[in-house]
Amino acid sequence: MADSSAFDGALGVPDTLGRALRDLRISVTDRCNFRCSYCMPAELYGRDFAFLPHAEVLTFEEIARLAAVFTGLGARKLRITGGEPLVRRDLPVLIAQLALLRCADGEAVDLTLTTNGSGLRPLAEPLSGAGLRRITVSLDSLDDAVFGAMNGVDFPVSRVLDGIAAARSAGLTPIKINTVVRRGLNEASILPLARWARDEGLILRFIEYMDVGHSNSWRLDDVVPASEILAIIDGELPLEPAAAGYRGEVAGRYRYRDGSGEVGAIASVTRPFCGDCTRARLAADGMLYTCLFAVSGVDLKTPLRAGATDTELAALVRSVWTSRGDRYSELRSAATSTLPKIEMFALGG
Ligand code: SAM
Ligand code: SF4
Ligand code: SF4
């Protein structure tokens, strides 16, 4: 009988619920220059917070090697994230290495990056030149007071907009915008953001505020359901449902009825999509997590640094994925929410 691993790349390694490994999120740093209240609140992540020491963070060569192992197992999409990925020095060097990777069928990998946009102006061209295809920028409001309060460091909206303009000029398109909505903070920003993104031709995705990690003191009351977000937009700019782009797409997509574009809402809390979740997460320290709400991960850095071969690393990842049964959001309950979780900036949002 043929070695079943030969089929991994084409069919994708299935987990216990039949979900193939298709996406890898790679966190290149746990550090960030923002202190978003829903992710790294300033009161908990002060000057003396112990981020990962340099030696614990995967090098670019280590990341590229592991990424190749994942593409060999069927991953087709690589998303660079963090922390804030643009604070990692020489990031275009890593992008150039990852851009060379091929999916198992020989196609180029879909290589993208999520950023808070603050450092995009000088980096957009070098990232594009290195082979980055497109980009997602997180932006929670167009109002400086609201945005400043949410990013925790009074970072001005204008500089993120300037970063988006730089990304557009550099051809990092289509540009997606991620907006987390938190009750009492930025509901009033929903409509202005929707109008702006539509006028600018940007793909806007609203995200329900999630109970990742522990430090954001999450309460269900703080979640603005996707249905409410869409109703706010529909009241002013009428919407109709659009078909999902691909299996595993997490955003519910809606078209403006006047044909002027689309908007999405990611209902991770109110309409979980674990059944289609094909994502693995590689943290900056080389830990592999199979769920955003993971309570533990598997260390890939130690075997990698001990000289494991690609075949051995692939066997390890394969065994982790084939025993995966995560569906936290579907099981979200008082019982599970008391378990220790890993913070989002640490495992790569
Ligand atoms: N620093 C980059 C950024 O903000 O785009 C990349 C990392 S960040 C952890 C990735 C995404 O996770 C961002 O779009 C952010 O808004 C989102 N995020 C962080 N904490 C969240 C939470 N508690 N609920 C929902 N989304 C969250
Ligand atoms: Fe930093 Fe992104 Fe987390 Fe905000 S959401 S604190 S920008 S990692
Ligand atoms: Fe995937 Fe875990 Fe989120 Fe479910 S809760 S969609 S398994 S990351």
Side-chain angles (χ1 to χ4, degrees):
M1 207 178 106
D3 174 6
S4 69
S5 64
F7 297 102
D8 285 351
L11 300 176
V13 178
D15 68 5
T16 62
L17 301 173
R19 301 167 297 187
L21 171 51
R22 289 297 185 212
D23 315 75
L24 178 65
R25 301 203 154 208
I26 302 172
S27 174
V28 294
T29 179
D30 60 341
R31 291 164 200 262
C32 185
N33 57 333
F34 281 15
R35 287 292 177 274
C36 301
S37 57
Y38 50 72
C39 181
M40 298 173 78
E43 57 282 13
L44 295 182
Y45 298 93
R47 262 177 215 292
D48 47 0
F49 183 79
F51 287 100
L52 286 171
H54 190 67
E56 295 303 317
V57 175
L58 294 182
T59 64
F60 289 165
E61 288 66 30
E62 289 170 334
I63 292 173
R65 232 189 109 194
L66 288 175
V69 166
F70 280 85
T71 54
L73 291 171
R76 309 187 65 85
K77 179 170 165 186
L78 304 178
R79 180 175 292 277
I80 308 302
T81 179
E84 171 48 40
L86 302 192
V87 306
R88 176 90 188 241
R89 195 179 304 171
D90 299 327
L91 191 65
V93 173
L94 173 67
I95 296 297
Q97 294 179 18
L98 296 178
L100 296 175
L101 293 179
R102 289 281 169 272
C103 306
D105 60 5
E107 295 278 309
V109 290
D110 180 7
L111 181 57
T112 182
L113 178 151
T114 302
T115 171
N116 63 26
S118 61
L120 254 183
R121 166 56 67 187
L123 277 167
E125 275 294 345
L127 288 169
S128 170
L132 188 68
R133 302 284 193 87
R134 54 200 178 81
I135 204 159
T136 298
V137 180
S138 304
L139 179 60
D140 297 332
S141 181
L142 292 172
D143 179 305
D144 261 328
V146 176
F147 184 54
M150 286 183 82
N151 66 47
V153 293
D154 274 332
F155 198 86
V157 174
S158 58
R159 285 187 53 198
V160 178
L161 299 187
D162 183 53
I164 293 170
R168 198 199 304 261
S169 311
L172 294 171
T173 54
I175 298 172
K176 285 190 185 170
I177 306 294
N178 274 358
T179 299
V180 176
V181 184
R182 189 167 173 176
R183 174 93 53 210
L185 288 184
N186 63 336
E187 294 108 309
S189 301
I190 294 172
L191 259 178
L193 276 163
R195 277 199 204 93
W196 164 77
R198 192 190 57 160
D199 294 348
E200 294 284 326
L202 304 164
I203 303 173
L204 176 61
R205 305 280 186 236
F206 289 100
I207 306 176
E208 287 180 351
Y209 169 46
M210 292 184 287
D211 49 337
V212 274
H214 287 289
S215 35
N216 58 19
S217 323
W218 184 88
R219 295 178 318 137
L220 189 57
D221 289 352
D222 293 334
V223 179
V224 181
S227 55
E228 189 177 327
I229 296 170
L230 291 164
I232 291 172
I233 302 170
D234 187 50
E236 191 91 1
L237 310 166
L239 294 171
E240 60 190 9
Y246 54 92
R247 183 171 183 228
E249 183 174 53
V250 294
R253 290 165 55 211
Y254 292 80
R255 264 191 301 267
Y256 292 111
R257 282 181 191 271
D258 64 5
S260 60
E262 62 163 70
V263 65
I266 303 180
S268 10
V269 177
T270 59
R271 267 193 38 220
F273 37 80
C274 301
D276 274 343
C277 180
T278 54
R279 294 179 176 169
R281 294 162 197 274
L282 178 63
D285 60 356
M287 294 294 286
L288 168 63
Y289 298 98
T290 55
C291 178
L292 184 53
F293 299 92
V295 288
S296 63
V298 172
D299 178 10
L300 299 184
K301 183 179 67 200
T302 301
L304 178 72
R305 291 190 177 171
T309 63
D310 287 355
T311 309
E312 287 164 346
L313 291 168
L316 176 57
V317 173
R318 196 173 198 285
S319 76
V320 172
W321 191 264
T322 50
S323 51
R324 172 187 191 240
D326 303 281
R327 51 192 199 99
Y328 177 90
S329 287
E330 288 181 351
L331 302 173
R332 188 177 269 108
S333 68
T336 52
S337 66
T338 58
L339 289 170
K341 290 177 284 188
I342 317 287
E343 300 298 336
M344 189 153 178
F345 68 86
L347 61 72

